Amino acid sequence: MRLIIYTGKGGTGKTVTSCSTAIKLAEYGHKTLVISSDPAHTLSDAFMMPDISYQVQEILPKLNVLQIDPVTEMRNQFDTTLSYMASIFSAKGIDETLAYEIAMLPGMTQLFSLLKVEELVKQKRFDVIVIDMPASGEALRYLYFPKLVGSIGRKMAGLLGMFSGVTRIFQVLSKNPIPTKDNIQVEADLLNRIQDLSEIIQNNDMTSIRLVVNPDTFSIENAKRALMSASLFGINVDLAIINKIMPSQTSDRYYANWAVFQGGKVEEARSNFYPLPLKEIHLHNTELRGLEMLRNNGELLFGNEDPSQIYYRGKAISFATEENSLRMTVKVPFTEKDDFDLERHGDQLTIKVKNPVGYIANIIPLPSAALTMKLVKAKLNGDELNVIFTRGI
Ligand SMILES: Nc1ncnc2c1ncn2[C@@H]1O[C@H](COP(=O)(O)OP(=O)(O)O)[C@@H](O)[C@H]1O
Ligand SMILES: [Mg+2]
């Protein structure tokens, strides 16, 4: 079973790329499901099929589609939590419409769609699931979450965790939001499911993230951050797609300028994403949508390749032991020497990496061999951070 996740900045072409990939996968005979949790109708718009609903639906042989509605998912999966929220709401005379708005908070949508994915993976109904993920950064945060919580302690986690953001909102609205036992149980179950989900996502034989960028600075920077955090967290990124490249043969000065600019950006992306395989797709002569155009786009993307293959495997974190020392290597592309902050707490190493929006922290459990060792050196070697531990005297 394969899980292929398309991520990238808004408007780069994640939805159309997901659909094109899914069409091609189905043609290769894989039982395929393409999932979008973008606002309603995304898949309808892309396939130009008005009646794609919130149920899994086969629209072509082996090609299934599912538009996820976060509110439906929330209702199905977190009934107790929802009724807890609702009781607070109604006590305050706030109507349920607000629950909808809260479910749409950045990140929440994606979390609920990812939990749906966890359910679908467990059911083993499909050979390949393609996920059309909304905006990069937020989405991935939830995948890292279980690891971080694991280090704080699962008991605390329920209260500190991902629902705390929501709970805090309720606390503002209501003065007495004491979570019930049921509520805490729901949070614990939820954490277990996020934990399972994170194992699925970190299984490099199953899951691949694919980056969709356009030939512009903003989307490339965005994808570089996604690549770095995925790399830090041991999630395999196997392909990058540069979409919407303007044709360079033009007599018009205005378009010629753009073509030169984009040519530079394509070069930049090639070197930035190296050694990741890269595919280039031109800007079609009209808006890319509808089955025929999507199929054609899938052809341009994959030709006679099976899109379910793993295009690249880079080991994000590895350990090598010698007699008295241990070397840990972490792939950290696009960082500079002074961007790191390492902290060790017993059997865990926290790596903080600076990026333009702040720090990304990863907590890496150390092998037991490291327990009796001291962290002696950290050195950046190209895109690899080498951390050396040595046994003390
Ligand atoms: N290569 C392309 N050529 C022409 N139009 C494209 C191309 N890629 C995407 N589009 C159009 O750009 C818009 C945004 O694409 P979409 O897949 O919805 O982006 P995202 O899901 O990343 O926000 C849509 O109107 C889509 O039809
Ligand atoms: Mg989209």
Side-chain angles (χ1 to χ4, degrees), residues 14-15 38 42 132:
K14 297 175 295 295
T15 301
D38 259 5
T42 307
D132 166 25

Side-chain angles (χ1 to χ4, degrees), residues 8 61 89 98 104 107 127 130 157 163 175 180 182-183 187 235 252 276 288 296 307 316-317 323 331 346 370:
F89 282 142
L98 195 55
M104 299 305 254
D127 303 324
V130 180
F163 261 102
K175 291 232 162 60
T180 64
D182 274 357
N183 195 250
E187 290 183 359
I235 304 171
D252 186 299
L276 208 62
L288 174 51
N296 172 254
I317 301 167
E323 207 178 315
K331 276 237 162 73

